[in-house]
Amino acid sequence: VLKRLEDALRHGDRIYALVRAAGLSNDRRGNLLAPDTEGQVRAMQAAYAAAGWQPSDIDLIECHGAATPVGDATELRSLNALWGEDGWRPGQCAIGSVKSMIGHLLGAAGGVEAVFSIMAIRDQVAPPTINLENPGEGCDLDYVPNTARKSDVKTILSNSFGFGGHNATLVFKKL
């Protein structure tokens, strides 16, 4: 259940995480079936800007991870573009995707990714990405856990990049 923080506090609800920021964009190239790095990066940058954070402030990235060669390669390029010339540093954060466990739920995928992200904060676990044998060119398996790992997860970037180039990124923070 999503509530405004003041309402949740007033009702005495258990709070696992805060939605700290959101970033939305659309791919400008208009290709219905092929994702675009530029649009994905704009969504992630908008979320970081709204939160006042840098990419290095994130403990876990819940990737859209559609398990398609074009989609996953594009998302990896987008993350590399987001991290800039310095790139990803070993130990910086874990990345993964709940879709490896449940498949793609089309329109419900973003909601499941959000719940999964909040559960990672609640349980203090970097969740596994299972059945990943060939992550694709440029993806280092060292930062894609294949088993759940206890981790001090305080901040999560959750991407949902959809059909027709609709891109959404949420940033979650442990309360």
Side-chain angles (χ1 to χ4, degrees):
V1 175
L2 293 175
K3 285 188 179 180
R4 293 181 307 174
L5 179 59
E6 63 189 48
D7 292 340
L9 291 170
R10 185 175 63 252
H11 296 142
D13 295 332
R14 185 175 304 143
I15 302 168
Y16 295 117
L18 302 174
V19 176
R20 183 71 175 90
L24 303 171
S25 73
N26 194 287
D27 294 347
R28 292 179 176 156
R29 296 205 173 112
N31 188 328
L32 203 56
L33 298 174
D36 183 59
T37 294
E38 186 272 335
Q40 292 180 359
V41 171
R42 267 190 299 113
M44 291 186 286
Q45 287 174 334
Y48 279 117
W53 293 353
Q54 299 298 316
S56 59
D57 294 330
I58 295 293
D59 300 316
L60 174 67
I61 296 175
E62 172 62 22
C63 293
H64 182 69
T68 64
V70 172
D72 290 351
T74 301
E75 188 169 9
L76 182 59
R77 277 194 308 278
S78 298
L79 288 170
N80 283 319
L82 180 75
W83 292 323
E85 288 183 20
D86 294 336
W88 179 87
R89 295 178 325 279
Q92 174 179 320
C93 68
I95 70 171
S97 177
V98 67
K99 287 181 191 75
S100 71
M101 292 180 239
I102 63 171
H104 199 310
L105 299 176
L106 303 175
V112 172
E113 292 164 5
V115 170
F116 195 67
S117 296
I118 292 166
M119 290 171 57
I121 289 174
R122 178 196 69 191
D123 297 341
Q124 291 293 277
V125 169
T129 296
I130 61 172
N131 301 318
L132 180 65
E133 295 173 13
N134 181 8
E137 188 175 328
C139 184
D140 181 352
L141 281 177
D142 289 343
Y143 60 95
V144 182
N146 59 9
T147 60
R149 295 192 294 215
K150 283 306 253 181
S151 181
D152 188 20
V153 178
K154 294 181 187 145
T155 56
I156 295 178
L157 182 82
S158 181
N159 290 326
S160 185
F161 302 142
F163 187 72
H166 300 289
N167 305 304
T169 296
L170 293 176
V171 177
F172 295 95
K173 180 179 194 254
K174 182 179 178 182
L175 182 63

